[in-house]
């Protein structure tokens, strides 16, 4: 991503990403919007993703959520430099970001959703870990930790049950 976007305007790339998500590019599972609507009245919602920051921000704007925490590509004077400032590909990197968030929010009633081993530290940081379409590695770890395992069509009911709705 970083090298391919070198010299491009961050604002223009973000605008294109928002347009894409608002159009035919919205490939999120149907449950995502439903869960966001359930959580919005009582929770601040953040996307934490290893995707570049313009993708996370576009998703946050698309779903009208609090914010996103993403991999950061270096930007100078509004343009991508071709360098990476922060990656969130490894679980330790996600833990660092979620730890910063949890300084401002109580662990009580916190939820996180993940699908792979890269999400384990993040899921371990919240009260309610929800594994959706989990990889085999995450599934094994989730069973050891007694975390919630779910398929996309079951997530809405699971969240309502957790929140006692």
């Amino acid at each position: 991503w970083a090298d391919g976007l070198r010299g491009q305007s961050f604002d223009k790339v973000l605008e294109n990403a928002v347009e894409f998500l608002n159009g035919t590019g919205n490939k999120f599972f149907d449950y995502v919007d439903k869960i966001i609507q359930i959580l919005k009245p009582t929770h601040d919602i953040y996307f934490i993703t290893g995707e570049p920051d313009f993708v996370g921000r576009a998703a946050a704007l698309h779903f009208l959520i609090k914010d996103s925490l993403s991999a950061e590509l270096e930007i100078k004077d509004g343009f991508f430099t071709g360098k990476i400032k922060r990656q969130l590909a490894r679980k330790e990197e996600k833990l660092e970001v979620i730890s910063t968030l949890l300084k401002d929010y109580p662990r009580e009633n916190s939820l996180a959703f993940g699908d792979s081993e890269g999400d384990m530290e993040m899921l371990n940081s919240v009260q309610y870990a929800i594994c959706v379409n989990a990889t085999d590695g995450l599934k094994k770890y989730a069973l050891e930790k007694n975390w919630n395992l779910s398929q996309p069509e079951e997530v809405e009911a699971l969240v309502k049950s957790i929140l006692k709705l």
Side-chain angles (χ1 to χ4, degrees), residues 6-159:
R6 181 189 334 263
Q8 299 294 312
S9 161
F10 176 83
D11 290 340
K12 185 64 177 169
V13 171
L14 176 60
E15 179 184 320
N16 289 337
V18 169
E19 285 179 20
F20 181 72
L21 286 180
N22 287 337
T24 59
N26 183 356
K27 303 294 183 197
F28 287 91
F29 284 108
D30 290 338
Y31 76 86
V32 174
D33 191 47
K34 293 175 184 172
I35 298 307
I36 288 171
Q37 297 314 314
I38 292 168
L39 293 174
K40 262 187 186 179
T42 56
H43 291 74
D44 286 339
I45 302 168
Y46 291 82
F47 280 136
I48 299 174
T49 178
E51 295 294 326
D53 42 7
F54 68 89
V55 175
R57 288 187 193 181
L61 290 167
H62 176 77
F63 288 106
L64 302 173
I65 63 169
K66 181 82 173 181
D67 206 353
S68 67
L69 301 167
S70 312
E72 287 184 48
L73 305 181
E74 185 179 76
I75 299 164
K76 189 170 186 173
D77 299 325
F79 293 88
F80 291 100
T81 66
K83 297 178 182 173
I84 299 170
K85 279 180 65 175
R86 175 179 70 193
Q87 295 186 49
L88 289 184
R90 295 187 315 252
K91 59 187 176 185
E92 298 83 9
E93 295 160 339
K94 284 187 181 174
L95 176 60
E96 183 179 322
V97 173
I98 194 87
S99 295
T100 302
L101 258 184
L102 290 176
K103 288 178 185 174
D104 296 327
Y105 294 95
R107 186 173 187 273
E108 182 182 359
N109 294 321
S110 60
L111 298 93
F113 301 82
D115 62 2
S116 67
E117 293 89 332
D119 297 323
M120 291 188 319
E121 297 297 336
M122 176 181 68
L123 292 164
N124 207 34
S125 299
V126 298
Q127 184 174 2
Y128 299 106
I130 302 171
C131 306
V132 184
N133 270 353
T135 60
D136 289 339
L138 180 59
K139 202 176 292 184
K140 181 181 176 190
Y141 190 74
L143 289 170
E144 291 172 10
K145 300 292 276 180
N146 200 28
W147 288 346
N148 296 288
L149 288 166
S150 182
Q151 293 301 311
E153 63 275 4
E154 303 163 340
V155 178
E156 182 179 2
L158 176 60
V159 170

